[in-house]
Amino acid sequence: MLIDKKYILRFKGIQTPFYFYNIELLKETLQEIKREISFHKNYLVHYAIKANANPKLLQLIAQAGFGADCVSGGEIQRALKTGFSPSKIVFAGVGKSDWEINLGLDNDIFCFNVESEPELEVINELAKAKGKIASVAFRINPNIGAHTHANITTGLAENKFGIAMDDIERIIQKAERLSHVHILGLHFHIGSQILEMNDFIVLCQRINLLICQLKQNHHQLKHINVGGGLGIDYEQPDKHPIPNFSSYFNTYAKYLNLSDEQQLHFELGRAIVGQCGSLITRTLYVKQGATRQFIIVDAGMTDLIRPALYQAHHLIENLSSDGDLEKYDVVGPICESSDVFAKDILLPKTNRGDLIALHSAGAYGEIMASQYNCRPLPQNYTSEELSDVKP
Ligand code: LLP
């Protein structure tokens, strides 16, 4: 069992579906990252709030000293409310509204990751109106494919993200002439759920070339932000509850040529929160169809959309039964054929009322939930909250 028996006893009295967060695992993961970056000079990690903005988790991550990577005004507000220092907030996104830029300026956030020339002009204008200087980094589109799902690849020339490599020199020169922006450095992010270190090596090589080229023209870039993207083991979360941060950070240390004055920033999301969350659901019916046997659970694609959207695999466990294995499709109650969590999987003989866990759902799970079909949003509980409750 991936979840301690004492919690499963508590689950019985709770309305499903809900997210359950293993706070001990989150704390261990945060400690492991802190330990690993302490071996490197000038490495800073900003947690990518888009992965999970649950305040209970955010408070812990902020307390552990991490920065925040935000992609909207709402995320900046959430970050500030949960204790992240504005001086550790980076703000990315291809379409920042004026109110969002103003919010960043009013709070003196660390950096705007600028994704286009017109955005640079707007930031300069808005900063001027406030008599402030906006710190900016340029998000580069390095034209690198990552070995991951097409929907979560972001660094290809065809993607909407970032400034093309060929335009960067001209845009930096332009920014140097603008009165209300200050250039901090460069920003990259090639995709998510990346397990092949070689993808990050290719990114390092591309960055080295670019820094070299920009240096020749006397552009000093103190901050390099390589985004996030480190994947997690969805197949065997029990074997790899904490990702291999050592090999991740060492890859950058080995392949990226940085000077002693330069700082390296990371924006990890999934690798921090992915494994600590499970979606807990109840079996409503076991139905024998014409050709397949279905477990119909009370969670649907509205609670966890990743399988429907990216054909993502989440390990499914029956927490209530250890009967003989049978073949099932596990599906939700939503009126969409894509509302399927898994097909043809072996699970112990399942009955109405059995609790089912979908693991590795801490990242891009609860935060992507919707109210389609007028369904309520899923509730959430932490291991700490459930430890206190008597069975
Ligand atoms: N930085 C930027 C600029 C990003 O766009 C992202 C993720 C991250 C950092 C964090 O990436 P991570 O370390 O979590 O891989 N909903 C999808 C994932 C979308 C990722 C979007 N950008 C999923 O469920 O797989």
Side-chain angles (χ1 to χ4, degrees):
M1 290 271 174
L2 275 157
I3 299 177
D4 196 293
K5 283 234 164 57
K6 70 178 180 192
Y7 298 119
I8 299 173
L9 279 175
R10 309 286 196 278
F11 292 171
K12 289 187 178 157
I14 300 176
Q15 173 78 45
T16 45
F18 62 87
Y19 277 88
F20 171 70
Y21 295 111
N22 180 342
I23 293 298
E24 291 74 31
L25 178 57
L26 175 59
K27 284 182 178 165
E28 276 174 45
T29 308
L30 295 171
Q31 282 316 313
E32 175 68 7
I33 296 174
K34 285 175 80 170
R35 202 177 76 88
E36 286 301 330
I37 60 171
S38 73
F39 299 132
H40 306 279
K41 205 172 162 237
N42 295 334
Y43 279 24
L44 298 159
V45 177
H46 305 268
Y47 166 62
I49 294 207
K50 64 177 80 63
N52 190 321
N54 186 314
K56 299 170 196 171
L57 274 52
L58 291 187
Q59 274 160 13
L60 281 174
I61 299 169
Q63 276 162 21
F66 287 70
D69 158 35
C70 301
V71 285
S72 71
E75 286 192 356
I76 295 177
Q77 286 164 337
R78 185 73 64 95
L80 293 170
K81 210 170 163 188
T82 49
F84 287 92
S85 160
S87 65
K88 289 184 186 169
I89 291 181
V90 294
F91 181 18
V94 283
K96 301 179 186 73
S97 308
D98 291 13
W99 76 268
E100 296 178 309
I101 295 170
N102 280 326
L103 180 72
L105 290 169
D106 289 340
N107 287 285
D108 299 317
I109 61 166
F110 172 64
C111 185
F112 291 86
N113 291 334
V114 174
E115 302 225 10
S116 66
E117 193 172 351
E119 183 195 329
L120 174 69
E121 288 163 5
V122 170
I123 291 178
N124 184 59
E125 282 308 308
L126 294 176
K128 192 173 178 182
K130 289 183 181 293
K132 294 209 171 201
I133 306 286
S135 294
V136 299
F138 296 101
R139 175 163 182 184
I140 317 285
N141 184 321
N143 196 16
I144 294 174
H147 294 89
T148 185
H149 192 278
N151 290 13
I152 50 177
T153 292
T154 47
L156 282 172
E158 69 196 48
N159 297 134
K160 66 180 174 181
F161 301 100
I163 295 168
M165 296 274 275
D166 290 347
D167 292 335
I168 188 61
E169 179 95 49
R170 183 178 58 77
I171 294 181
I172 290 186
Q173 278 165 6
K174 174 168 184 167
E176 282 168 343
R177 291 194 302 271
L178 293 177
S179 55
H180 288 75
V181 297
H182 166 64
I183 304 170
L184 288 185
L186 303 177
H187 174 230
F188 304 81
H189 174 76
I190 54 171
S192 200
Q193 184 51 18
I194 298 171
L195 292 168
E196 292 186 31
M197 288 304 119
N198 198 49
D199 291 339
F200 297 121
I201 295 176
V202 173
L203 173 63
C204 290
Q205 290 161 345
R206 200 59 58 91
I207 298 175
N208 289 339
L209 272 179
L210 190 58
I211 292 182
C212 201
Q213 176 196 328
L214 293 172
K215 233 189 204 162
Q216 280 164 10
N217 297 321
H218 310 292
H219 302 298
Q220 295 302 326
L221 301 159
K222 181 148 190 268
H223 300 269
I224 304 297
N225 182 334
V226 289
L230 177 62
I232 60 170
D233 189 345
Y234 283 97
E235 309 294 324
Q236 297 182 303
D238 42 341
K239 287 223 173 102
H240 301 116
I242 299 183
N244 192 340
F245 291 111
S246 165
S247 100
Y248 176 69
F249 292 119
N250 284 336
T251 298
Y252 280 100
K254 184 165 174 203
Y255 292 95
L256 196 60
N257 304 330
L258 293 185
S259 67
D260 274 357
E261 303 79 57
Q262 278 176 314
Q263 289 197 327
L264 187 58
H265 299 253
F266 299 87
E267 299 172 340
L268 293 172
R270 188 189 317 264
I272 297 181
V273 293
Q275 297 292 32
C276 78
S278 300
L279 175 62
I280 310 297
T281 175
R282 252 188 196 85
T283 306
L284 294 173
Y285 306 103
V286 179
K287 163 171 157 173
Q288 184 58 60
T291 56
R292 330 174 66 88
Q293 188 172 212
F294 298 99
I295 296 176
I296 303 170
V297 293
D298 62 4
M301 61 193 285
T302 49
D303 307 294
L304 178 64
I305 200 173
R306 303 194 67 257
L309 200 55
Y310 319 112
Q311 296 74 51
H313 167 79
H314 287 264
L315 183 73
I316 298 183
E317 195 181 11
N318 185 326
L319 304 177
S320 309
S321 161
D322 54 6
D324 292 342
L325 294 180
E326 292 194 19
K327 205 184 252 185
Y328 296 104
D329 285 8
V330 180
V331 302
I334 314 295
C335 301
E336 298 267 348
S337 304
S338 52
D339 185 29
V340 175
F341 288 127
K343 280 192 169 165
D344 283 331
I345 60 162
L346 290 174
L347 283 177
K349 184 166 176 47
T350 301
N351 294 298
R352 173 172 165 81
D354 282 0
L355 287 166
I356 305 281
L358 288 103
H359 293 295
S360 312
Y364 308 106
E366 187 183 0
I367 192 67
M368 290 181 78
S370 77
Q371 294 189 310
Y372 182 43
N373 284 190
C374 286
R375 284 167 59 83
L377 292 173
Q379 295 296 308
N380 62 82
Y381 301 92
T382 65
S383 49
E384 283 176 351
E385 286 168 336
L386 297 188
S387 295
D388 293 333
V389 186
K390 295 273 171 292

